Amino acid sequence: MSLKKFASIAALSLTAIASISYAGSAHALGFSYSAGAYRDSAVTNQGAFSEQVNNKGYTTLDFNDGKVPSNDEVKYTFSKGTYSTTAYSGQTGIYNDIWAPAGIVGTDVNKSNYLAVFSGNTVTIENTKDKVFNYFGFDAGALSVGNTLEFFKGGNLVQQWTYDMMNKIATVSSSQQGGQLNGFFEFFSEGANDNFDKIVLSQNDGGGFESDNHTFRTGTGKYEAAKVPEPSVALGLLAVGGVFLRKRKNQKSLNLG
């Protein structure tokens, strides 16, 4: 067993894979949560990464070049799309401090750059060249009230995630952030209707929405689901902080009731 996999399992008591439908919509996104992985097993101070980080077809932005917008209405273009911000007071942007999302265990102090969205602001990630995303993963934390993540396709909302939903699932308690929770969240298409072309991170209350190591996979609009492996930890019937996990027909479903 690799160091990366062993550390991920040791740090995480369970891994959830789910298909979650947004109320009133026929769309759904597959979802996976874990403590994440190291991009390089010898480097543990840059936060958690996707298990897909070194796989062909995936692009990761770690913000270490500091180029994501830090001024009003600035856009940053990368190989898979653009990042842009709303007008704001000057706070939303790239930081390097104790609020950086933690690594795969709570004692992994992230000393690299990360993206922070502050109260009343948004950061929008859009695909370019008439393509769509079919996978998005990011290291989130320290999770706080007001953190909101939305996925769109053609201007229509596909799915929304809020602090309450993420905080119920996250398991990495950061020692340098007073025990606030962190974790690696992954979203992937399960059908043609589930692809998305825009992701919006926003902060709808006081505080900030901190994230790092954004990972993407793009498609042409056809069904090109990002393949996320089954979890290493077998799940039976579990209830964790209001999150209920059931294994049904070899697919794990998540009820965030």
Side-chain angles (χ1 to χ4, degrees), residues 17-22 26-32 133-136 149-152 158-161 186-191 193-196 199 251:
I17 286 187
S19 177
I20 303 167
S21 297
Y22 179 75
H27 301 304
L29 287 179
F31 166 71
S32 176
F133 297 121
N134 53 39
Y135 170 92
F136 175 64
L149 176 68
E150 295 173 305
F151 297 87
F152 293 86
V158 174
Q159 197 167 101
Q160 180 187 71
W161 276 69
E186 300 177 287
F187 303 86
F188 53 95
S189 64
E190 294 187 319
N193 288 336
D194 307 334
N195 293 326
F196 45 99
I199 306 161
Q251 181 179 12

PDB file of all heavy atoms in Angstrom, residues 17-22 26-32 133-136 149-152 158-161 186-191 193-196 199 251:
ATOM      1  N   ILE A  17     -19.419   8.116  -1.543  1.00  0.00           N
ATOM      2  CA  ILE A  17     -19.677   8.386  -2.948  1.00  0.00           C
ATOM      3  C   ILE A  17     -21.178   8.420  -3.118  1.00  0.00           C
ATOM      4  O   ILE A  17     -21.873   7.542  -2.643  1.00  0.00           O
ATOM      5  CB  ILE A  17     -19.043   7.347  -3.873  1.00  0.00           C
ATOM      6  CG1 ILE A  17     -17.522   7.579  -3.918  1.00  0.00           C
ATOM      7  CG2 ILE A  17     -19.631   7.415  -5.265  1.00  0.00           C
ATOM      8  CD1 ILE A  17     -16.817   6.732  -4.926  1.00  0.00           C
ATOM      9  N   ALA A  18     -21.675   9.437  -3.790  1.00  0.00           N
ATOM     10  CA  ALA A  18     -23.122   9.597  -3.811  1.00  0.00           C
ATOM     11  C   ALA A  18     -23.596  10.200  -5.101  1.00  0.00           C
ATOM     12  O   ALA A  18     -22.850  10.820  -5.834  1.00  0.00           O
ATOM     13  CB  ALA A  18     -23.546  10.484  -2.650  1.00  0.00           C
ATOM     14  N   SER A  19     -24.868  10.031  -5.375  1.00  0.00           N
ATOM     15  CA  SER A  19     -25.556  10.730  -6.460  1.00  0.00           C
ATOM     16  C   SER A  19     -26.625  11.578  -5.809  1.00  0.00           C
ATOM     17  O   SER A  19     -27.512  11.054  -5.152  1.00  0.00           O
ATOM     18  CB  SER A  19     -26.183   9.733  -7.432  1.00  0.00           C
ATOM     19  OG  SER A  19     -26.906  10.421  -8.425  1.00  0.00           O
ATOM     20  N   ILE A  20     -26.526  12.886  -5.963  1.00  0.00           N
ATOM     21  CA  ILE A  20     -27.389  13.802  -5.233  1.00  0.00           C
ATOM     22  C   ILE A  20     -28.181  14.646  -6.222  1.00  0.00           C
ATOM     23  O   ILE A  20     -27.610  15.295  -7.079  1.00  0.00           O
ATOM     24  CB  ILE A  20     -26.554  14.720  -4.323  1.00  0.00           C
ATOM     25  CG1 ILE A  20     -25.726  13.866  -3.381  1.00  0.00           C
ATOM     26  CG2 ILE A  20     -27.436  15.671  -3.550  1.00  0.00           C
ATOM     27  CD1 ILE A  20     -24.669  14.642  -2.680  1.00  0.00           C
ATOM     28  N   SER A  21     -29.486  14.645  -6.123  1.00  0.00           N
ATOM     29  CA  SER A  21     -30.332  15.410  -7.026  1.00  0.00           C
ATOM     30  C   SER A  21     -30.642  16.770  -6.415  1.00  0.00           C
ATOM     31  O   SER A  21     -30.957  16.872  -5.238  1.00  0.00           O
ATOM     32  CB  SER A  21     -31.644  14.663  -7.296  1.00  0.00           C
ATOM     33  OG  SER A  21     -31.394  13.440  -7.945  1.00  0.00           O
ATOM     34  N   TYR A  22     -30.533  17.795  -7.237  1.00  0.00           N
ATOM     35  CA  TYR A  22     -30.909  19.124  -6.792  1.00  0.00           C
ATOM     36  C   TYR A  22     -32.427  19.247  -6.874  1.00  0.00           C
ATOM     37  O   TYR A  22     -33.042  18.863  -7.859  1.00  0.00           O
ATOM     38  CB  TYR A  22     -30.244  20.186  -7.667  1.00  0.00           C
ATOM     39  CG  TYR A  22     -30.621  21.585  -7.274  1.00  0.00           C
ATOM     40  CD1 TYR A  22     -30.088  22.162  -6.135  1.00  0.00           C
ATOM     41  CD2 TYR A  22     -31.547  22.316  -8.022  1.00  0.00           C
ATOM     42  CE1 TYR A  22     -30.457  23.441  -5.760  1.00  0.00           C
ATOM     43  CE2 TYR A  22     -31.911  23.590  -7.646  1.00  0.00           C
ATOM     44  CZ  TYR A  22     -31.358  24.151  -6.523  1.00  0.00           C
ATOM     45  OH  TYR A  22     -31.707  25.410  -6.147  1.00  0.00           O
ATOM     46  N   ALA A  26     -33.860  17.835 -12.923  1.00  0.00           N
ATOM     47  CA  ALA A  26     -33.601  16.469 -13.362  1.00  0.00           C
ATOM     48  C   ALA A  26     -32.116  16.161 -13.336  1.00  0.00           C
ATOM     49  O   ALA A  26     -31.706  15.030 -13.542  1.00  0.00           O
ATOM     50  CB  ALA A  26     -34.147  16.283 -14.779  1.00  0.00           C
ATOM     51  N   HIS A  27     -31.317  17.181 -13.109  1.00  0.00           N
ATOM     52  CA  HIS A  27     -29.871  17.001 -13.115  1.00  0.00           C
ATOM     53  C   HIS A  27     -29.389  16.417 -11.795  1.00  0.00           C
ATOM     54  O   HIS A  27     -30.005  16.577 -10.756  1.00  0.00           O
ATOM     55  CB  HIS A  27     -29.171  18.347 -13.350  1.00  0.00           C
ATOM     56  CG  HIS A  27     -29.553  18.998 -14.636  1.00  0.00           C
ATOM     57  ND1 HIS A  27     -29.425  18.382 -15.848  1.00  0.00           N
ATOM     58  CD2 HIS A  27     -30.080  20.219 -14.888  1.00  0.00           C
ATOM     59  CE1 HIS A  27     -29.831  19.199 -16.806  1.00  0.00           C
ATOM     60  NE2 HIS A  27     -30.247  20.316 -16.249  1.00  0.00           N
ATOM     61  N   ALA A  28     -28.250  15.750 -11.853  1.00  0.00           N
ATOM     62  CA  ALA A  28     -27.604  15.252 -10.651  1.00  0.00           C
ATOM     63  C   ALA A  28     -26.111  15.203 -10.905  1.00  0.00           C
ATOM     64  O   ALA A  28     -25.668  15.029 -12.033  1.00  0.00           O
ATOM     65  CB  ALA A  28     -28.112  13.860 -10.287  1.00  0.00           C
ATOM     66  N   LEU A  29     -25.340  15.375  -9.865  1.00  0.00           N
ATOM     67  CA  LEU A  29     -23.896  15.225  -9.959  1.00  0.00           C
ATOM     68  C   LEU A  29     -23.466  14.120  -9.026  1.00  0.00           C
ATOM     69  O   LEU A  29     -23.949  14.013  -7.903  1.00  0.00           O
ATOM     70  CB  LEU A  29     -23.180  16.520  -9.543  1.00  0.00           C
ATOM     71  CG  LEU A  29     -23.242  17.707 -10.496  1.00  0.00           C
ATOM     72  CD1 LEU A  29     -22.492  18.889  -9.890  1.00  0.00           C
ATOM     73  CD2 LEU A  29     -22.644  17.353 -11.847  1.00  0.00           C
ATOM     74  N   GLY A  30     -22.553  13.274  -9.499  1.00  0.00           N
ATOM     75  CA  GLY A  30     -21.945  12.327  -8.595  1.00  0.00           C
ATOM     76  C   GLY A  30     -21.071  13.084  -7.611  1.00  0.00           C
ATOM     77  O   GLY A  30     -20.554  14.165  -7.902  1.00  0.00           O
ATOM     78  N   PHE A  31     -20.907  12.541  -6.429  1.00  0.00           N
ATOM     79  CA  PHE A  31     -20.153  13.221  -5.381  1.00  0.00           C
ATOM     80  C   PHE A  31     -19.273  12.234  -4.627  1.00  0.00           C
ATOM     81  O   PHE A  31     -19.676  11.109  -4.352  1.00  0.00           O
ATOM     82  CB  PHE A  31     -21.115  13.893  -4.402  1.00  0.00           C
ATOM     83  CG  PHE A  31     -20.456  14.326  -3.122  1.00  0.00           C
ATOM     84  CD1 PHE A  31     -19.585  15.391  -3.096  1.00  0.00           C
ATOM     85  CD2 PHE A  31     -20.682  13.619  -1.944  1.00  0.00           C
ATOM     86  CE1 PHE A  31     -18.963  15.778  -1.926  1.00  0.00           C
ATOM     87  CE2 PHE A  31     -20.056  14.000  -0.761  1.00  0.00           C
ATOM     88  CZ  PHE A  31     -19.199  15.075  -0.755  1.00  0.00           C
ATOM     89  N   SER A  32     -18.063  12.670  -4.315  1.00  0.00           N
ATOM     90  CA  SER A  32     -17.152  11.864  -3.526  1.00  0.00           C
ATOM     91  C   SER A  32     -16.457  12.758  -2.508  1.00  0.00           C
ATOM     92  O   SER A  32     -16.081  13.889  -2.824  1.00  0.00           O
ATOM     93  CB  SER A  32     -16.091  11.213  -4.424  1.00  0.00           C
ATOM     94  OG  SER A  32     -15.142  10.511  -3.654  1.00  0.00           O
ATOM     95  N   PHE A 133     -17.132  21.127 -18.134  1.00  0.00           N
ATOM     96  CA  PHE A 133     -16.450  20.351 -17.107  1.00  0.00           C
ATOM     97  C   PHE A 133     -17.260  19.082 -16.828  1.00  0.00           C
ATOM     98  O   PHE A 133     -18.493  19.103 -16.858  1.00  0.00           O
ATOM     99  CB  PHE A 133     -16.356  21.141 -15.794  1.00  0.00           C
ATOM    100  CG  PHE A 133     -15.540  22.399 -15.878  1.00  0.00           C
ATOM    101  CD1 PHE A 133     -16.109  23.632 -15.579  1.00  0.00           C
ATOM    102  CD2 PHE A 133     -14.199  22.364 -16.222  1.00  0.00           C
ATOM    103  CE1 PHE A 133     -15.368  24.800 -15.626  1.00  0.00           C
ATOM    104  CE2 PHE A 133     -13.440  23.529 -16.277  1.00  0.00           C
ATOM    105  CZ  PHE A 133     -14.024  24.745 -15.977  1.00  0.00           C
ATOM    106  N   ASN A 134     -16.566  17.994 -16.551  1.00  0.00           N
ATOM    107  CA  ASN A 134     -17.276  16.826 -16.046  1.00  0.00           C
ATOM    108  C   ASN A 134     -16.684  16.335 -14.726  1.00  0.00           C
ATOM    109  O   ASN A 134     -17.093  15.303 -14.204  1.00  0.00           O
ATOM    110  CB  ASN A 134     -17.314  15.688 -17.079  1.00  0.00           C
ATOM    111  CG  ASN A 134     -15.941  15.313 -17.601  1.00  0.00           C
ATOM    112  OD1 ASN A 134     -14.965  15.285 -16.864  1.00  0.00           O
ATOM    113  ND2 ASN A 134     -15.874  15.027 -18.891  1.00  0.00           N
ATOM    114  N   TYR A 135     -15.749  17.105 -14.182  1.00  0.00           N
ATOM    115  CA  TYR A 135     -15.184  16.792 -12.869  1.00  0.00           C
ATOM    116  C   TYR A 135     -14.643  18.079 -12.257  1.00  0.00           C
ATOM    117  O   TYR A 135     -14.013  18.892 -12.941  1.00  0.00           O
ATOM    118  CB  TYR A 135     -14.042  15.774 -12.990  1.00  0.00           C
ATOM    119  CG  TYR A 135     -13.264  15.579 -11.698  1.00  0.00           C
ATOM    120  CD1 TYR A 135     -13.629  14.584 -10.795  1.00  0.00           C
ATOM    121  CD2 TYR A 135     -12.176  16.386 -11.380  1.00  0.00           C
ATOM    122  CE1 TYR A 135     -12.930  14.407  -9.602  1.00  0.00           C
ATOM    123  CE2 TYR A 135     -11.477  16.227 -10.194  1.00  0.00           C
ATOM    124  CZ  TYR A 135     -11.853  15.234  -9.313  1.00  0.00           C
ATOM    125  OH  TYR A 135     -11.158  15.071  -8.132  1.00  0.00           O
ATOM    126  N   PHE A 136     -14.903  18.270 -10.975  1.00  0.00           N
ATOM    127  CA  PHE A 136     -14.292  19.360 -10.220  1.00  0.00           C
ATOM    128  C   PHE A 136     -14.037  18.875  -8.799  1.00  0.00           C
ATOM    129  O   PHE A 136     -14.939  18.341  -8.139  1.00  0.00           O
ATOM    130  CB  PHE A 136     -15.210  20.590 -10.173  1.00  0.00           C
ATOM    131  CG  PHE A 136     -14.687  21.708  -9.308  1.00  0.00           C
ATOM    132  CD1 PHE A 136     -13.505  22.355  -9.627  1.00  0.00           C
ATOM    133  CD2 PHE A 136     -15.369  22.094  -8.160  1.00  0.00           C
ATOM    134  CE1 PHE A 136     -13.010  23.383  -8.827  1.00  0.00           C
ATOM    135  CE2 PHE A 136     -14.893  23.124  -7.354  1.00  0.00           C
ATOM    136  CZ  PHE A 136     -13.709  23.765  -7.693  1.00  0.00           C
ATOM    137  N   LEU A 149     -21.319  26.777  -2.808  1.00  0.00           N
ATOM    138  CA  LEU A 149     -20.746  26.305  -4.066  1.00  0.00           C
ATOM    139  C   LEU A 149     -21.894  25.962  -5.003  1.00  0.00           C
ATOM    140  O   LEU A 149     -22.806  25.216  -4.635  1.00  0.00           O
ATOM    141  CB  LEU A 149     -19.886  25.063  -3.811  1.00  0.00           C
ATOM    142  CG  LEU A 149     -19.271  24.358  -5.017  1.00  0.00           C
ATOM    143  CD1 LEU A 149     -18.203  25.242  -5.666  1.00  0.00           C
ATOM    144  CD2 LEU A 149     -18.664  23.029  -4.596  1.00  0.00           C
ATOM    145  N   GLU A 150     -21.874  26.513  -6.231  1.00  0.00           N
ATOM    146  CA  GLU A 150     -22.953  26.273  -7.192  1.00  0.00           C
ATOM    147  C   GLU A 150     -22.381  25.836  -8.538  1.00  0.00           C
ATOM    148  O   GLU A 150     -21.343  26.324  -8.975  1.00  0.00           O
ATOM    149  CB  GLU A 150     -23.784  27.541  -7.378  1.00  0.00           C
ATOM    150  CG  GLU A 150     -24.528  27.981  -6.123  1.00  0.00           C
ATOM    151  CD  GLU A 150     -25.188  29.325  -6.299  1.00  0.00           C
ATOM    152  OE1 GLU A 150     -24.475  30.284  -6.653  1.00  0.00           O
ATOM    153  OE2 GLU A 150     -26.413  29.416  -6.099  1.00  0.00           O
ATOM    154  N   PHE A 151     -23.119  24.933  -9.193  1.00  0.00           N
ATOM    155  CA  PHE A 151     -22.751  24.447 -10.514  1.00  0.00           C
ATOM    156  C   PHE A 151     -23.852  24.831 -11.501  1.00  0.00           C
ATOM    157  O   PHE A 151     -25.045  24.648 -11.222  1.00  0.00           O
ATOM    158  CB  PHE A 151     -22.594  22.922 -10.502  1.00  0.00           C
ATOM    159  CG  PHE A 151     -21.495  22.436  -9.602  1.00  0.00           C
ATOM    160  CD1 PHE A 151     -21.734  22.184  -8.260  1.00  0.00           C
ATOM    161  CD2 PHE A 151     -20.209  22.232 -10.097  1.00  0.00           C
ATOM    162  CE1 PHE A 151     -20.726  21.734  -7.419  1.00  0.00           C
ATOM    163  CE2 PHE A 151     -19.191  21.775  -9.266  1.00  0.00           C
ATOM    164  CZ  PHE A 151     -19.455  21.532  -7.927  1.00  0.00           C
ATOM    165  N   PHE A 152     -23.453  25.334 -12.688  1.00  0.00           N
ATOM    166  CA  PHE A 152     -24.397  25.760 -13.701  1.00  0.00           C
ATOM    167  C   PHE A 152     -24.075  25.118 -15.050  1.00  0.00           C
ATOM    168  O   PHE A 152     -22.938  24.765 -15.323  1.00  0.00           O
ATOM    169  CB  PHE A 152     -24.344  27.287 -13.883  1.00  0.00           C
ATOM    170  CG  PHE A 152     -24.824  28.067 -12.699  1.00  0.00           C
ATOM    171  CD1 PHE A 152     -23.952  28.377 -11.655  1.00  0.00           C
ATOM    172  CD2 PHE A 152     -26.140  28.518 -12.635  1.00  0.00           C
ATOM    173  CE1 PHE A 152     -24.388  29.104 -10.566  1.00  0.00           C
ATOM    174  CE2 PHE A 152     -26.580  29.257 -11.548  1.00  0.00           C
ATOM    175  CZ  PHE A 152     -25.704  29.546 -10.501  1.00  0.00           C
ATOM    176  N   VAL A 158     -27.473  23.562 -11.777  1.00  0.00           N
ATOM    177  CA  VAL A 158     -27.468  22.104 -11.736  1.00  0.00           C
ATOM    178  C   VAL A 158     -27.511  21.618 -10.296  1.00  0.00           C
ATOM    179  O   VAL A 158     -28.263  20.713  -9.944  1.00  0.00           O
ATOM    180  CB  VAL A 158     -26.220  21.537 -12.447  1.00  0.00           C
ATOM    181  CG1 VAL A 158     -26.131  20.017 -12.293  1.00  0.00           C
ATOM    182  CG2 VAL A 158     -26.218  21.930 -13.914  1.00  0.00           C
ATOM    183  N   GLN A 159     -26.701  22.259  -9.439  1.00  0.00           N
ATOM    184  CA  GLN A 159     -26.647  21.828  -8.054  1.00  0.00           C
ATOM    185  C   GLN A 159     -26.034  22.919  -7.176  1.00  0.00           C
ATOM    186  O   GLN A 159     -25.205  23.702  -7.644  1.00  0.00           O
ATOM    187  CB  GLN A 159     -25.812  20.555  -7.939  1.00  0.00           C
ATOM    188  CG  GLN A 159     -26.004  19.794  -6.632  1.00  0.00           C
ATOM    189  CD  GLN A 159     -25.403  18.400  -6.739  1.00  0.00           C
ATOM    190  OE1 GLN A 159     -24.319  18.155  -6.247  1.00  0.00           O
ATOM    191  NE2 GLN A 159     -26.095  17.494  -7.399  1.00  0.00           N
ATOM    192  N   GLN A 160     -26.453  22.947  -5.925  1.00  0.00           N
ATOM    193  CA  GLN A 160     -25.904  23.898  -4.959  1.00  0.00           C
ATOM    194  C   GLN A 160     -25.478  23.154  -3.703  1.00  0.00           C
ATOM    195  O   GLN A 160     -26.182  22.276  -3.218  1.00  0.00           O
ATOM    196  CB  GLN A 160     -26.943  24.957  -4.586  1.00  0.00           C
ATOM    197  CG  GLN A 160     -26.422  25.986  -3.579  1.00  0.00           C
ATOM    198  CD  GLN A 160     -27.519  26.916  -3.089  1.00  0.00           C
ATOM    199  OE1 GLN A 160     -28.401  26.518  -2.337  1.00  0.00           O
ATOM    200  NE2 GLN A 160     -27.473  28.165  -3.544  1.00  0.00           N
ATOM    201  N   TRP A 161     -24.312  23.521  -3.196  1.00  0.00           N
ATOM    202  CA  TRP A 161     -23.825  22.990  -1.919  1.00  0.00           C
ATOM    203  C   TRP A 161     -23.596  24.150  -0.967  1.00  0.00           C
ATOM    204  O   TRP A 161     -23.099  25.204  -1.357  1.00  0.00           O
ATOM    205  CB  TRP A 161     -22.524  22.212  -2.125  1.00  0.00           C
ATOM    206  CG  TRP A 161     -22.791  20.799  -2.538  1.00  0.00           C
ATOM    207  CD1 TRP A 161     -23.306  20.382  -3.727  1.00  0.00           C
ATOM    208  CD2 TRP A 161     -22.591  19.627  -1.748  1.00  0.00           C
ATOM    209  NE1 TRP A 161     -23.440  19.019  -3.733  1.00  0.00           N
ATOM    210  CE2 TRP A 161     -23.007  18.529  -2.536  1.00  0.00           C
ATOM    211  CE3 TRP A 161     -22.099  19.407  -0.466  1.00  0.00           C
ATOM    212  CZ2 TRP A 161     -22.944  17.216  -2.068  1.00  0.00           C
ATOM    213  CZ3 TRP A 161     -22.028  18.097  -0.009  1.00  0.00           C
ATOM    214  CH2 TRP A 161     -22.451  17.022  -0.808  1.00  0.00           C
ATOM    215  N   GLU A 186     -15.279  16.248  -4.238  1.00  0.00           N
ATOM    216  CA  GLU A 186     -15.194  15.982  -5.663  1.00  0.00           C
ATOM    217  C   GLU A 186     -16.596  15.834  -6.253  1.00  0.00           C
ATOM    218  O   GLU A 186     -17.465  15.185  -5.667  1.00  0.00           O
ATOM    219  CB  GLU A 186     -14.407  14.692  -5.919  1.00  0.00           C
ATOM    220  CG  GLU A 186     -12.989  14.732  -5.386  1.00  0.00           C
ATOM    221  CD  GLU A 186     -12.266  13.410  -5.594  1.00  0.00           C
ATOM    222  OE1 GLU A 186     -12.604  12.445  -4.874  1.00  0.00           O
ATOM    223  OE2 GLU A 186     -11.401  13.340  -6.477  1.00  0.00           O
ATOM    224  N   PHE A 187     -16.803  16.431  -7.420  1.00  0.00           N
ATOM    225  CA  PHE A 187     -18.086  16.378  -8.103  1.00  0.00           C
ATOM    226  C   PHE A 187     -17.831  15.920  -9.533  1.00  0.00           C
ATOM    227  O   PHE A 187     -16.924  16.420 -10.198  1.00  0.00           O
ATOM    228  CB  PHE A 187     -18.754  17.755  -8.095  1.00  0.00           C
ATOM    229  CG  PHE A 187     -18.953  18.307  -6.710  1.00  0.00           C
ATOM    230  CD1 PHE A 187     -17.946  19.015  -6.076  1.00  0.00           C
ATOM    231  CD2 PHE A 187     -20.153  18.096  -6.031  1.00  0.00           C
ATOM    232  CE1 PHE A 187     -18.124  19.501  -4.788  1.00  0.00           C
ATOM    233  CE2 PHE A 187     -20.327  18.587  -4.746  1.00  0.00           C
ATOM    234  CZ  PHE A 187     -19.318  19.286  -4.119  1.00  0.00           C
ATOM    235  N   PHE A 188     -18.640  14.976 -10.021  1.00  0.00           N
ATOM    236  CA  PHE A 188     -18.386  14.447 -11.351  1.00  0.00           C
ATOM    237  C   PHE A 188     -19.695  14.100 -12.044  1.00  0.00           C
ATOM    238  O   PHE A 188     -20.673  13.710 -11.420  1.00  0.00           O
ATOM    239  CB  PHE A 188     -17.472  13.217 -11.292  1.00  0.00           C
ATOM    240  CG  PHE A 188     -17.940  12.141 -10.351  1.00  0.00           C
ATOM    241  CD1 PHE A 188     -18.698  11.078 -10.812  1.00  0.00           C
ATOM    242  CD2 PHE A 188     -17.621  12.196  -9.000  1.00  0.00           C
ATOM    243  CE1 PHE A 188     -19.129  10.090  -9.943  1.00  0.00           C
ATOM    244  CE2 PHE A 188     -18.043  11.200  -8.126  1.00  0.00           C
ATOM    245  CZ  PHE A 188     -18.808  10.148  -8.599  1.00  0.00           C
ATOM    246  N   SER A 189     -19.705  14.263 -13.371  1.00  0.00           N
ATOM    247  CA  SER A 189     -20.916  14.002 -14.134  1.00  0.00           C
ATOM    248  C   SER A 189     -21.183  12.512 -14.215  1.00  0.00           C
ATOM    249  O   SER A 189     -20.275  11.701 -14.307  1.00  0.00           O
ATOM    250  CB  SER A 189     -20.800  14.590 -15.543  1.00  0.00           C
ATOM    251  OG  SER A 189     -19.774  13.948 -16.270  1.00  0.00           O
ATOM    252  N   GLU A 190     -22.468  12.168 -14.187  1.00  0.00           N
ATOM    253  CA  GLU A 190     -22.886  10.781 -14.345  1.00  0.00           C
ATOM    254  C   GLU A 190     -23.685  10.584 -15.622  1.00  0.00           C
ATOM    255  O   GLU A 190     -24.087   9.476 -15.950  1.00  0.00           O
ATOM    256  CB  GLU A 190     -23.719  10.345 -13.135  1.00  0.00           C
ATOM    257  CG  GLU A 190     -22.925  10.313 -11.844  1.00  0.00           C
ATOM    258  CD  GLU A 190     -23.703   9.731 -10.683  1.00  0.00           C
ATOM    259  OE1 GLU A 190     -24.903  10.055 -10.572  1.00  0.00           O
ATOM    260  OE2 GLU A 190     -23.134   8.954  -9.917  1.00  0.00           O
ATOM    261  N   GLY A 191     -23.909  11.664 -16.356  1.00  0.00           N
ATOM    262  CA  GLY A 191     -24.647  11.611 -17.604  1.00  0.00           C
ATOM    263  C   GLY A 191     -24.500  12.924 -18.339  1.00  0.00           C
ATOM    264  O   GLY A 191     -23.961  13.898 -17.788  1.00  0.00           O
ATOM    265  N   ASN A 193     -26.515  15.271 -19.041  1.00  0.00           N
ATOM    266  CA  ASN A 193     -27.159  16.423 -18.418  1.00  0.00           C
ATOM    267  C   ASN A 193     -26.396  16.941 -17.205  1.00  0.00           C
ATOM    268  O   ASN A 193     -26.696  18.019 -16.698  1.00  0.00           O
ATOM    269  CB  ASN A 193     -28.580  16.061 -17.974  1.00  0.00           C
ATOM    270  CG  ASN A 193     -29.528  15.897 -19.135  1.00  0.00           C
ATOM    271  OD1 ASN A 193     -29.308  16.457 -20.206  1.00  0.00           O
ATOM    272  ND2 ASN A 193     -30.581  15.121 -18.945  1.00  0.00           N
ATOM    273  N   ASP A 194     -25.429  16.163 -16.739  1.00  0.00           N
ATOM    274  CA  ASP A 194     -24.731  16.524 -15.514  1.00  0.00           C
ATOM    275  C   ASP A 194     -23.463  17.326 -15.753  1.00  0.00           C
ATOM    276  O   ASP A 194     -22.852  17.813 -14.804  1.00  0.00           O
ATOM    277  CB  ASP A 194     -24.361  15.264 -14.725  1.00  0.00           C
ATOM    278  CG  ASP A 194     -25.546  14.368 -14.473  1.00  0.00           C
ATOM    279  OD1 ASP A 194     -26.667  14.896 -14.448  1.00  0.00           O
ATOM    280  OD2 ASP A 194     -25.356  13.157 -14.324  1.00  0.00           O
ATOM    281  N   ASN A 195     -23.029  17.423 -17.012  1.00  0.00           N
ATOM    282  CA  ASN A 195     -21.860  18.253 -17.278  1.00  0.00           C
ATOM    283  C   ASN A 195     -22.191  19.704 -16.925  1.00  0.00           C
ATOM    284  O   ASN A 195     -23.344  20.107 -16.938  1.00  0.00           O
ATOM    285  CB  ASN A 195     -21.457  18.150 -18.753  1.00  0.00           C
ATOM    286  CG  ASN A 195     -20.962  16.770 -19.115  1.00  0.00           C
ATOM    287  OD1 ASN A 195     -20.331  16.099 -18.299  1.00  0.00           O
ATOM    288  ND2 ASN A 195     -21.251  16.331 -20.332  1.00  0.00           N
ATOM    289  N   PHE A 196     -21.177  20.476 -16.619  1.00  0.00           N
ATOM    290  CA  PHE A 196     -21.410  21.860 -16.196  1.00  0.00           C
ATOM    291  C   PHE A 196     -20.347  22.755 -16.799  1.00  0.00           C
ATOM    292  O   PHE A 196     -19.232  22.324 -17.090  1.00  0.00           O
ATOM    293  CB  PHE A 196     -21.414  21.955 -14.662  1.00  0.00           C
ATOM    294  CG  PHE A 196     -20.292  21.205 -13.984  1.00  0.00           C
ATOM    295  CD1 PHE A 196     -19.144  21.859 -13.550  1.00  0.00           C
ATOM    296  CD2 PHE A 196     -20.385  19.830 -13.765  1.00  0.00           C
ATOM    297  CE1 PHE A 196     -18.114  21.171 -12.926  1.00  0.00           C
ATOM    298  CE2 PHE A 196     -19.359  19.128 -13.138  1.00  0.00           C
ATOM    299  CZ  PHE A 196     -18.215  19.802 -12.720  1.00  0.00           C
ATOM    300  N   ILE A 199     -18.801  27.258 -12.430  1.00  0.00           N
ATOM    301  CA  ILE A 199     -18.772  26.974 -10.994  1.00  0.00           C
ATOM    302  C   ILE A 199     -18.661  28.309 -10.284  1.00  0.00           C
ATOM    303  O   ILE A 199     -17.839  29.154 -10.662  1.00  0.00           O
ATOM    304  CB  ILE A 199     -17.552  26.098 -10.622  1.00  0.00           C
ATOM    305  CG1 ILE A 199     -17.526  24.823 -11.467  1.00  0.00           C
ATOM    306  CG2 ILE A 199     -17.556  25.763  -9.138  1.00  0.00           C
ATOM    307  CD1 ILE A 199     -16.162  24.156 -11.505  1.00  0.00           C
ATOM    308  N   GLN A 251     -24.226   0.931  -5.367  1.00  0.00           N
ATOM    309  CA  GLN A 251     -24.001   2.366  -5.472  1.00  0.00           C
ATOM    310  C   GLN A 251     -24.344   3.006  -4.141  1.00  0.00           C
ATOM    311  O   GLN A 251     -25.389   2.750  -3.587  1.00  0.00           O
ATOM    312  CB  GLN A 251     -24.862   2.980  -6.579  1.00  0.00           C
ATOM    313  CG  GLN A 251     -24.622   4.490  -6.735  1.00  0.00           C
ATOM    314  CD  GLN A 251     -25.467   5.058  -7.852  1.00  0.00           C
ATOM    315  OE1 GLN A 251     -26.362   4.395  -8.342  1.00  0.00           O
ATOM    316  NE2 GLN A 251     -25.204   6.282  -8.233  1.00  0.00           N
TER     317      GLN A 251
END
